[in-house]
């Protein structure tokens, strides 16, 4: 199982300048390689290397850095092609798709640059790294991380690490290959109903209310509107300072919720049944004032957090079809659109069962999870990239 560990670099002033110059240089080179690839119809990596490698070396890039720049560019086009094929950029002829296909891919000056063990070495005892830059190799660059992350780096770090810069701070994103725990046979399943009003509701009675997170998002949205309307230098500086604050807060909430769900399942010897909500944003039609809430909904991130935590704990996890789970009575099985009285209330027209709508849906999901597991169907958990 692939897990990333993020460590914060604490370079000295001269080292920071070298790292910044390196990122700017390699990403400028990647933009040039992207232009060459676009002109030549995006050839295979080996052929692209023949047209660009010598120039990259002349620009001051080392052999491994040049190879990584070419591979990074080719991978970006592979991702673009996959998104087009999946329909993520709209239908053929749509403005978004035409815009993506009509020009070369560009890279931000602070975009991530991959490093392998030839360009980067770790000294865990002293918490330093030795890293290649365009001005030479920097040694004894200090880094900071949690004790858990350091332990994971020592035992499981494999493959490449990415150097990134965010708001003047440098980070290394290291890939760790952590072995999965042996999966046990579940004694039942915990259904997890995901939503916007309630982030997650489980069939065991746990409910993570989304009221606080939604208020936080609204405050951040209102503040961004005011600062953007003001348009002064201090307003733009504050916008940069507050960038990603909402995303960090939402990720923290999702970590807490996912840890609670997985811990409960592990303690009770149960499995987890999650809704497969793939493509829901394109299927659901909402009023204009509701679209911000829908597109801010982090259900995919929460599901990803639950998935990797479940794998580490050996908890069985299945994705189930959520169709009719909000309209079907969990007691008698009667399905009727009128069963859903309002957003929070479920009242069965057949047997008279009255309960919270999310609780009812979670019980239906738990039953579907058991059916999928018992039937021996192939799990629909997305493959780990």
């Amino acid at each position: 199982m692939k897990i990333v560990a993020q460590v914060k670099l604490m370079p000295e002033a001269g080292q920071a300048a070298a790292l910044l110059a390196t990122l700017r240089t390699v990403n400028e080179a990647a933009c040039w390689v992207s232009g060459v690839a676009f002109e030549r119809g995006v050839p295979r990596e080996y052929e692209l290397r023949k047209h660009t490698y010598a120039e990259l070396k002349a620009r001051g890039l080392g052999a491994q850095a040049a190879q990584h720049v070419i591979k990074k560019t080719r991978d970006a086009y592979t991702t673009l092609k996959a998104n087009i094929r999946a329909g993520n950029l709209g239908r053929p002829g749509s403005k978004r798709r035409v815009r993506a296909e009509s020009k070369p891919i560009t890279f931000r000056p602070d975009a991530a640059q991959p490093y392998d063990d030839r360009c980067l070495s770790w000294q865990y005892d002293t918490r330093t790294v030795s890293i290649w830059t365009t001005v030479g190799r920097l040694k004894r660059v200090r880094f900071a991380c949690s004790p858990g992350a350091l332990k994971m780096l020592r035992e499981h770090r494999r493959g490449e690490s990415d150097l990134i810069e965010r708001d003047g701070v440098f980070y290394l994103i290291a890939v760790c290959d952590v072995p999965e725990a042996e999966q046990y046979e579940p004694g039942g399943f915990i259904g997890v109903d995901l939503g916007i009003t309630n982030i997650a509701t489980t069939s065991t009675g746990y409910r993570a209310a989304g009221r606080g997170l939604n208020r936080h998002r609204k405050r951040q949205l209102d503040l961004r509107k005011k600062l953007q309307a003001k348009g002064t230098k201090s307003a733009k500086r504050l916008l940069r300072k507050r960038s990603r604050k909402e995303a960090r807060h939402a990720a923290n909430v999702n970590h807490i919720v996912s840890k609670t769900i997985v811990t409960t399942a592990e303690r009770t010897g149960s499995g987890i049944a999650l809704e497969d909500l793939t493509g829901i944003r394109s299927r659901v039609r909402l009023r204009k004032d509701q679209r911000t809430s829908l597109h801010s909904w982090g259900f995919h991130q929460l599901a990803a957090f639950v998935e990797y935590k479940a794998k580490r704990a050996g908890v069985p996890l299945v994705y189930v079809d959520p169709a009719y789970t909000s309209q079907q009575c969990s007691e008698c099985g009667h399905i009727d659109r009128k069963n859903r009285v309002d957003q929070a209330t479920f009242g069965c027209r057949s047997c008279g069962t009255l309960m919270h709508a999310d609780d009812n849906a979670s019980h239906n999901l738990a039953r579907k999870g058991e059916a999928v597991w018992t039937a021996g169907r192939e799990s629909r958990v997305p493959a780990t990239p």
Side-chain angles (χ1 to χ4, degrees):
M1 176 177 57
K2 304 293 185 184
I3 297 180
V4 297
Q6 177 175 290
V7 301
K8 179 181 178 180
L9 293 181
M10 298 184 294
E12 299 174 357
Q15 294 174 335
L19 291 174
L20 185 62
T22 299
L23 276 181
R24 299 295 188 267
T25 301
V26 295
N27 284 304
E28 182 181 350
C31 290
W32 174 78
V33 174
S34 176
V36 174
F38 186 79
E39 290 176 3
R40 296 183 175 272
V42 192
R44 291 182 301 173
E45 184 180 336
Y46 178 76
E47 185 179 349
L48 182 60
R49 188 177 295 126
K50 291 193 299 183
H51 297 296
T52 58
Y53 181 76
E55 173 63 22
L56 291 176
K57 290 283 289 182
R59 289 176 177 235
L61 272 64
Q64 285 300 111
Q67 303 282 13
H68 284 305
V69 166
I70 296 169
K71 186 177 184 301
K72 178 172 77 169
T73 306
R74 189 62 186 84
D75 289 346
Y77 278 100
T78 302
T79 301
L80 175 62
K81 185 177 180 180
N83 281 326
I84 292 173
R85 187 168 55 248
N88 296 334
L89 297 178
R91 299 177 180 178
S94 65
K95 290 184 179 179
R96 187 180 179 192
R97 181 163 172 174
V98 170
R99 186 166 59 248
E101 294 176 321
S102 62
K103 60 182 180 180
I105 292 175
T106 58
F107 295 85
R108 301 187 314 274
D110 58 350
Q113 172 66 13
Y115 281 78
D116 60 16
D117 288 342
R118 296 183 182 182
C119 309
L120 174 69
S121 60
W122 300 75
Q123 296 82 44
Y124 302 117
D125 293 335
T126 57
R127 296 201 181 189
T128 59
V129 295
S130 172
I131 186 170
W132 172 88
T133 68
T134 52
V135 296
R137 196 172 185 95
L138 299 181
K139 297 183 179 181
R140 294 183 293 278
V141 180
R142 294 182 300 128
F143 70 85
C145 64
S146 67
L150 182 62
K151 183 175 183 294
M152 186 164 62
L153 285 169
R154 283 179 181 272
E155 298 175 357
H156 306 297
R157 190 192 64 80
R158 299 288 185 278
E160 296 179 352
S161 303
D162 286 349
L163 173 67
I164 62 173
E165 184 251 336
R166 292 177 184 161
D167 303 324
V169 181
F170 294 94
Y171 298 91
L172 280 172
I173 312 297
V175 178
C176 299
D177 192 0
V178 179
E180 298 180 18
E182 185 178 354
Q183 200 174 78
Y184 57 79
E185 184 67 26
F189 271 80
I190 297 175
V192 183
D193 180 66
L194 305 179
I196 297 175
T197 302
N198 293 310
I199 300 172
T201 304
T202 69
S203 54
T204 58
Y206 170 68
R207 181 178 296 120
R211 183 172 55 253
L213 179 58
N214 292 333
R215 281 203 303 259
H216 177 82
R217 281 178 169 150
K218 188 176 185 307
R219 285 198 302 270
Q220 299 302 316
L221 179 62
D222 292 342
L223 181 57
R224 285 197 298 271
K225 286 180 179 178
K226 290 179 181 178
L227 292 174
Q228 288 167 356
K230 198 174 184 74
T232 60
K233 286 186 178 180
S234 59
K236 293 177 181 177
R237 185 167 60 248
L238 186 55
L239 276 170
R240 287 193 298 270
K241 181 180 178 181
R242 300 184 66 86
S243 64
R244 293 187 291 273
K245 183 173 183 178
E246 179 183 327
R248 290 195 300 269
H249 180 72
N252 181 62
V253 171
N254 283 337
H255 270 300
I256 294 171
V257 173
S258 60
K259 185 176 182 179
T260 302
I261 293 171
V262 174
T263 302
T264 302
E266 185 180 15
R267 187 180 67 249
T268 58
S270 304
I272 299 173
L274 280 177
E275 300 175 271
D276 184 1
L277 297 175
T278 303
I280 190 171
R281 287 192 174 96
S282 60
R283 296 196 306 267
V284 174
R285 295 290 183 181
L286 293 174
R287 298 194 309 269
K288 191 173 182 178
D289 60 339
Q290 295 176 317
R291 293 172 190 169
T292 299
S293 298
L294 175 66
H295 291 286
S296 299
W297 184 18
F299 67 88
H300 178 76
Q301 185 186 68
L302 176 58
F305 288 171
V306 172
E307 180 186 334
Y308 93 80
K309 286 178 170 63
K311 285 183 177 179
R312 293 193 70 175
V315 176
L317 183 145
V318 294
Y319 282 82
V320 300
D321 186 359
Y324 303 109
T325 52
S326 63
Q327 301 174 15
Q328 182 179 18
C329 177
S330 59
E331 296 293 332
C332 69
H334 176 66
I335 300 176
D336 192 337
R337 291 186 64 183
K338 296 180 180 179
N339 285 348
R340 188 71 180 262
V341 179
D342 54 37
Q343 189 278 326
T345 310
F346 180 90
C348 181
R349 296 276 176 150
S350 177
C351 67
T353 298
L354 187 67
M355 66 173 71
H356 195 284
D358 293 344
D359 289 336
N360 176 75
S362 67
H363 288 300
N364 287 328
L365 291 166
R367 188 176 63 253
K368 283 192 172 189
E370 290 181 9
V372 169
W373 184 266
T374 304
R377 299 176 185 174
E378 182 180 355
S379 173
R380 293 199 289 171
V381 177
T384 303

